[in-house]
Amino acid sequence: MPEQDYYEAAAFWKPDRYINPDETERLTTCAAFITDDAQSLLDVGCGNGTFLTILERQRPAMRLNGLERSRTAVQSAICTSEVLEGAITAIPFADRAFDVVTALEVIEHLPYQVYEHGLRELERVAAKGILLSVPYRENRVFTECPNCGCRFHPNYHLRSFDEHVLEHLFQQFDCAAYEVVSIDDYWLAPVLRRLYRLLNRHQDYPKTALCPQCGYTRSGGGHSRSAPAESASFLNRVRRYLRDTFKARLPKYKRKNWIIAYYQRK
Ligand SMILES: [Zn+2]
């Protein structure tokens, strides 16, 4: 099943995969939403546990658990909290088992048959609050499988979100607050990306992409897809230097990239 295999790529779960200034700002903003009276938290779709490691430092007295469908991610967990392998459609905990339930960069990935069921499960196990983070008003650019021609989002982002969509997600919870997190981007980025795709049409299939229709990957295998590594050859070092020098001179702006929403039980 390609959709499930996609998340087994080791490249997504390297220890430092989500440790960079942008992701750290997103995750610390998320952590700030968790109220002082919360004593337990379940992070659904916790990946390699990066968010849990932040809470382990900030809230050492809190009971923390993770749930993750990807076996590779569970095996790569960098947190000390317990992470169970499991699906959002069957969260293996009792009703209202945790004060707060988080699902960060998760629900944009949920297939049609899973989406509503997953949201109901988050509501069921959350006693007081639910915290979500999703891409903000994402302009989803699709890639085309060179093998079968299927067009799909290479990161399996299956829907876009804004404030209006987020307000109406839950039946038993109201949206209490939200915050948009911005990242630096280049003014010309959309034009340059479009130009790059036109010039590199045959390479416009990311190394981590996995066609949902035929299962094609550039590396040929599903489970061993590794992070794209740049060769250390002299030519590549020169190319990288020129690229970085050019990019450093481009004007930047703050682009709204993620939205974080906090929900309270009605
Ligand atoms: Zn294909």
Side-chain angles (χ1 to χ4, degrees):
M1 186 190 198
E3 192 267 341
Q4 182 149 6
D5 287 347
Y6 172 78
Y7 300 102
E8 297 297 340
F12 297 137
W13 313 120
K14 286 165 47 180
D16 60 352
R17 175 68 173 78
Y18 300 97
I19 299 176
N20 60 60
D22 290 336
E23 295 286 1
T24 300
E25 186 184 345
R26 177 177 67 81
L27 293 173
T28 51
T29 306
C30 285
F33 273 97
I34 296 161
T35 51
D36 290 342
D37 63 336
Q39 293 174 359
S40 57
L41 180 144
L42 174 67
D43 189 18
V44 176
C46 66
N48 68 1
T50 306
F51 183 57
L52 289 170
T53 65
I54 291 173
L55 294 176
E56 284 163 5
R57 285 197 299 272
Q58 289 187 357
R59 308 283 294 264
M62 208 173 195
R63 177 167 64 88
L64 299 167
N65 282 86
L67 182 74
E68 171 56 50
R69 71 177 289 190
S70 164
R71 180 163 295 177
T72 310
V74 173
Q75 290 168 349
S76 310
I78 59 173
C79 57
T80 55
S81 314
E82 186 184 22
V83 176
L84 295 179
E85 188 180 330
I88 194 171
T89 47
I91 298 177
F93 291 101
D95 296 358
R96 307 193 186 200
F98 295 88
D99 285 344
V100 179
V101 174
T102 57
L104 311 181
E105 305 304 299
V106 169
I107 65 170
E108 71 273 24
H109 293 272
L110 300 181
Y112 179 72
Q113 298 88 341
V114 172
Y115 186 69
E116 290 293 337
H117 192 169
L119 294 177
R120 299 293 84 79
E121 276 291 271
L122 297 178
E123 289 191 286
R124 183 183 65 77
V125 292
K128 297 175 181 168
I130 297 173
L131 184 74
L132 301 179
S133 106
V134 287
Y136 182 62
R137 295 186 177 177
E138 184 183 17
N139 174 27
R140 295 178 304 130
V141 177
F142 288 13
T143 191
E144 186 175 315
C145 172
N147 187 52
C148 74
C150 174
R151 287 175 57 72
F152 65 101
H153 190 278
N155 303 123
Y156 280 29
H157 286 184
L158 307 179
R159 58 192 81 228
S160 294
F161 293 89
D162 59 17
E163 294 89 337
H164 180 75
V165 175
L166 289 172
E167 285 238 340
H168 300 94
L169 283 187
F170 297 110
Q171 296 166 351
Q172 299 163 27
F173 285 74
D174 281 328
C175 185
Y178 60 81
E179 185 166 339
V180 173
V181 179
S182 299
I183 63 170
D184 280 336
D185 203 357
Y186 302 98
W187 273 111
L188 294 170
V191 179
L192 291 175
R193 284 190 199 115
R194 187 164 294 235
L195 191 66
Y196 178 82
R197 282 200 302 276
L198 283 172
L199 295 174
N200 295 274
R201 206 163 165 71
H202 62 292
Q203 294 176 355
D204 182 30
Y205 192 78
K207 284 188 177 173
T208 53
L210 175 61
C211 174
Q213 185 162 270
C214 76
Y216 174 81
T217 65
R218 273 173 65 181
S219 62
H223 292 269
S224 60
R225 298 191 328 283
S226 56
E230 285 193 271
S231 155
S233 76
F234 178 71
L235 198 63
N236 267 340
R237 286 211 304 276
V238 171
R239 195 177 293 155
R240 205 153 52 219
Y241 172 77
L242 290 175
R243 185 190 64 197
D244 292 348
T245 308
F246 173 68
K247 283 174 87 173
R249 280 162 175 69
L250 288 174
K252 285 187 206 163
Y253 74 110
K254 286 280 182 190
R255 177 166 61 80
K256 294 174 177 177
N257 198 54
W258 293 294
I259 183 165
I260 298 161
Y262 184 72
Y263 301 83
Q264 283 175 335
R265 188 172 276 284
K266 288 179 183 174

